[in-house]
Structure formats: structure tokens, C-alpha cells
Amino acid sequence: MSGNGTTGDDPLQTAVWRLRSRACWVDAAALLPADGAAPALQRAALLVERCLYTERGWQEAEDALRIAEALAHGDEERGAAACERGQLAYAATLHRVRDRVDEARAALGRAAALIPPGSAGRALLDFRRGLLAENLTRSPQAARAAYRRAHASAAAHADQLLLSFTWRHLAGLALRDGELAEARHGFTESLRIREELGYLVGTAPALASLAETEEEPEASRLREEAARLFRLLGGVPTWLTHQLTPQTPGAATA
């Protein structure tokens, strides 16, 4: 859930980004070198993200994560691997595959002890601690504080993709509190960033969330566009099935 979506002159990372943004996580992971701690961690992150968006590929993500954990050296790499471990446990609990909330909490706590404050990896960690607080432990105040820390750090490190997530989740909390103008602003910013980056798999959720703050006919137009992208990507992300049903407005998931 981190990255700028721009990869400079690195053709490999450009290809990985394009596949990832179009929900082709397995193909993106297959492009990465077979050896080295950094490629192993990136492969694990891609496959963990696939689990969250598709509710599939749990064993592949677990296998990739074990390799990344084995190859990690130094506190930041170990912390990043622990952060992915926490995210995989979070996703499994969220999608009711298995209750792994204690594992998620422990892994993110381990990551917090390893990743130094002020580093780029800390922003992603804070965001994921916010997800845990919002969606599993139902602590909106703790979630908001974590999202705000992540938002400030993502801005400081120019991590545009992560900013799209922090805008979106802060807006979701604002919407729950009845702060419609604040929610609309946050969802609009999230959508703008994702469209600029070409993050197609995240654009449909952003459209659907913005629709919750708009009146007709704009709300229907946004939902129709979200549904078109959702169908284009083969029903990914899976949670949009419920969010795009008018009778059951969905909460932001990622």
C-alpha cells in the first residue's frame, strides 16, 4: 500500500507497478529477482496485498513472507517483514479466514520496535496500526491518531499512494461522525491521487466512497463508474460487491 507509482528510469519497477495497479499481483511478483532480501520483501508485499483485495492466495503469501523473513537482515528489513506479517494476519481476520488478531497486533508491535521513527517505513506501519484499530478492535480514536501520523509521514516522504489511503480512511471516519464536507474533501483527494498515479485497482473503491458523500445524480454516476471498473478487473476488490449494492452502503476497507 506504499509507493509513489512512479519509478524513474527503472524498467523493472515500472513493469511491476503497472501490473500491480491493474490487480495482476502474481504476474508482478514473478518479474522480481529470485534472490535478495529486498526483492523477497517486495514479492511478499505484493502477494499480501493480493490477499486483501481478492481473498485468495493465502498460502502463496505465507510462503513468500517466510522467505522474506528468513532473508531479512538489519532492523529496518526485519521490521518491514514484521509489518507484512501483521498485514497478512489482519487481512485473514478481516475476511474471516481465521482469527489472527493477536498475531496481527504482535507483529505490528514488533515492527514498531524495529522501524525507527521518522523513516519511510514508519508511515506504512502507522497506517496499518490504524486499520487494526478501526476495523478489528473498533477504536476509532486510536485509528484516527494512527492515520494522522501516517498521513504526516507519508507527506514528508512524498509517498503519494499511501497518502491516497490515509486521505480515504480519515475521510471514512469523518463520514461516520457526520462531517460531510470533510469526508467529501478527503475522498476527493484520494480519488485524485489514484487517478494521477494510474492506480486502477484502487480507483473503483475511491469512486464508491466519494459517491457516499454526493447527492443525486452525481452519486449514481460515481457508483456506475466504480461498477464499470470493478467489472473490468474481474470483481476486484471483492468487498466492493457489497459497497456497490445501494441497499447496503459499504465501509472503507483499504
Side-chain angles (χ1 to χ4, degrees), residues 19 21-22 40 43 89 127 138 164 197 201 210 214 253:
L19 289 166
S21 66
R22 288 158 178 76
R43 183 179 298 105
F127 174 71
R138 308 298 178 188
S164 81
L197 295 178
V201 73
L210 182 57
E214 297 287 355
T253 303

Side-chain angles (χ1 to χ4, degrees), residues 164-209:
S164 81
F165 283 95
T166 54
W167 273 121
R168 174 171 157 74
H169 281 267
L170 285 168
L173 292 176
L175 185 61
R176 292 181 187 183
D177 290 342
E179 300 292 339
L180 192 61
E182 183 180 345
R184 184 183 295 114
H185 174 69
F187 288 140
T188 299
E189 285 298 298
S190 179
L191 176 60
R192 176 187 63 78
I193 293 170
R194 292 180 180 196
E195 288 181 334
E196 288 177 357
L197 295 178
Y199 189 55
L200 191 62
V201 73
T203 300
L207 287 163
S209 291

Side-chain angles (χ1 to χ4, degrees), residues 51-55 58 90-97 238-239 253:
C51 292
L52 181 64
Y53 278 72
T54 69
E55 303 179 53
W58 302 100
Y90 163 79
T93 307
L94 185 73
H95 290 309
R96 300 181 181 178
V97 176
T238 53
W239 70 79
T253 303

Side-chain angles (χ1 to χ4, degrees), residues 2-237:
S2 185
N4 294 329
T6 55
T7 52
D9 297 324
D10 188 337
L12 172 61
Q13 290 302 323
T14 297
V16 168
W17 166 256
R18 287 175 177 168
L19 289 166
R20 174 193 178 191
S21 66
R22 288 158 178 76
C24 300
W25 295 280
V26 174
D27 292 337
L31 293 180
L32 296 169
D35 56 350
L41 184 58
Q42 187 178 8
R43 183 179 298 105
L46 288 166
L47 297 178
V48 168
E49 187 172 85
R50 176 198 180 202
C51 292
L52 181 64
Y53 278 72
T54 69
E55 303 179 53
R56 299 195 309 270
W58 302 100
Q59 190 58 54
E60 292 93 331
E62 186 69 44
D63 293 343
L65 186 52
R66 285 175 181 157
I67 293 171
E69 289 168 336
L71 293 176
H73 52 81
D75 284 352
E76 289 211 45
E77 285 183 354
R78 292 189 185 97
C83 189
E84 293 303 328
R85 168 67 62 188
Q87 181 70 354
L88 183 60
Y90 163 79
T93 307
L94 185 73
H95 290 309
R96 300 181 181 178
V97 176
R98 184 158 59 91
D99 185 349
R100 297 173 62 178
V101 66
D102 290 340
E103 180 186 352
R105 189 182 293 111
L108 295 181
R110 199 160 59 247
L114 292 166
I115 301 174
S119 71
R122 193 77 182 199
L124 181 60
L125 171 61
D126 281 333
F127 174 71
R128 287 176 169 174
R129 295 177 95 176
L131 291 177
L132 191 71
E134 180 183 4
N135 295 315
L136 297 188
T137 62
R138 308 298 178 188
S139 305
Q141 290 184 334
R144 183 178 288 104
Y147 292 149
R148 285 176 174 165
R149 290 194 304 271
H151 190 82
S153 183
H157 291 280
D159 189 336
Q160 293 299 306
L161 183 59
L162 184 54
L163 275 174
S164 81
F165 283 95
T166 54
W167 273 121
R168 174 171 157 74
H169 281 267
L170 285 168
L173 292 176
L175 185 61
R176 292 181 187 183
D177 290 342
E179 300 292 339
L180 192 61
E182 183 180 345
R184 184 183 295 114
H185 174 69
F187 288 140
T188 299
E189 285 298 298
S190 179
L191 176 60
R192 176 187 63 78
I193 293 170
R194 292 180 180 196
E195 288 181 334
E196 288 177 357
L197 295 178
Y199 189 55
L200 191 62
V201 73
T203 300
L207 287 163
S209 291
L210 182 57
E212 295 184 28
T213 68
E214 297 287 355
E215 297 181 355
E216 296 295 349
E218 180 65 7
S220 290
R221 186 193 70 79
L222 290 166
R223 287 193 184 95
E224 287 168 8
E225 179 63 11
R228 184 187 70 81
L229 290 174
F230 177 67
R231 292 192 298 270
L232 179 67
L233 293 174
V236 176

